[in-house]
Amino acid sequence: MTTLQTPLLDRHHAADATIVDFAGWDMPLRYSSDVAEHHAVRERAGLFDLSHMGEVMVTGPDAATALDYALVGHMSQMPLGAAKYTMMCAPDGGVIDDVVVYRRDWEHFMVVANASNREVVVQELRARIHAAGLDAAVADETAAIALIAVQGPASCEIVSDMCELGAEDPPALKYYKATHVVLHGGIHAFVARTGYTGEDGFELFVPVDVAGEVWDLALERGESRGIQLCGLAARDSLRLEAGMPLYGNELSPDVTPFEAGLGRIVNFGRADGPARGDFVGRTALEERKAAGSETTLVGLRGEGRRAARAGYDVVSEDGAVVGTVTSGVPSPTLGYPVAMAYVATEVSEPGTALAADVRGRQEPMTVVALPLYRRGA
């Protein structure tokens, strides 16, 4: 089957990147060393191609109401230029996808979906809008938009230096806010102070025909600040340390936001706040919240040297299987193995001693609070 190609693929090849098929896209896994790329983001800056992510526009007079109904967040309450992390759930409460929504105008929202779920998100949005009889349109603009991320402590200086004099100042942009800027060369970009690494960072949405120019500009302006090309492997270890879930690992149709520790993003409305109408999955999610969850997503700190990987059993001190690892790596930042796992709620308290079955050998693990790493801590 033919894979989709990022507009930056030629630059990845020129940089000797290892290219892999990721969610149907040819994407860079690494350029040099996973650990070196990881440390670059934690200490200086990393440059990522995220053009595989889906950009879905929802527009029209009922756009806000449509997203209120389709997603678990209260999107109509978003101010202009805001971003919000939320989820699309099935009627039974299971997670279809986790997305970030940007309000670009009063009747114009951009929903950024995971590459593997883009098509189902588009289909579900259209079906839910139609079922509710709302006046809103859904357009998949993924093929027209490239997404480039600059992440790390030096990211603000780099992105500021990429902007034309007189453009809106990126340092003034608050976390989870977005704005339009003009980059050097007269390139218009929609820039958000968002990311998936646990560090300060910016994501730049630009037309595909200027993606190469923006990539080169980021490398040029970041060279003196130690910017490094980073692939999917570093992105995965960074997000794991930061306790950020990955669809297909921590999130799936088999879990709800409550098991994942993300019940706070489900907005049922409050008596002292804006009224919230019905949304897909509301009844099931209300029931799950009231009943409590049998399993809970936790962080694990390895007490040995071997890392637990996705799919490995988590066992109690008496050897009983009490959960499953969803993601695990030797942490470059912390210096010991870390993991996320779903475990029985009764053994989910931080400090609980557990073990992971690593190829037939029980490796000691301790339950720790998420995130495993916090910037500035």
Side-chain angles (χ1 to χ4, degrees), residues 156-225:
C156 189
E157 294 178 6
I158 294 168
V159 174
S160 295
D161 207 16
M162 293 171 65
C163 293
E164 290 269 16
L165 185 66
E168 186 161 344
D169 197 9
L173 197 64
K174 296 185 182 299
Y175 186 54
Y176 258 68
K177 298 294 183 181
T179 189
H180 294 272
V181 301
V182 180
L183 305 177
H184 286 287
I187 297 171
H188 289 257
F190 184 68
V191 177
R193 200 164 196 164
T194 50
Y196 195 54
T197 63
E199 296 297 335
D200 189 15
F202 295 79
E203 296 180 317
L204 296 87
F205 299 85
V206 299
V208 293
D209 59 352
V210 295
E213 295 174 55
V214 176
W215 185 262
D216 295 344
L217 179 62
L219 285 175
E220 175 196 334
R221 299 307 165 106
E223 182 179 9
S224 64
R225 299 177 175 95

Side-chain angles (χ1 to χ4, degrees), residues 111-136:
V111 179
V112 177
N114 286 293
S116 59
N117 296 327
R118 173 177 56 87
E119 292 181 353
V120 70
V121 167
V122 171
Q123 292 167 2
E124 282 292 327
L125 284 172
R126 288 174 176 161
R128 294 175 184 193
I129 289 170
H130 177 75
L134 298 170
D135 185 4

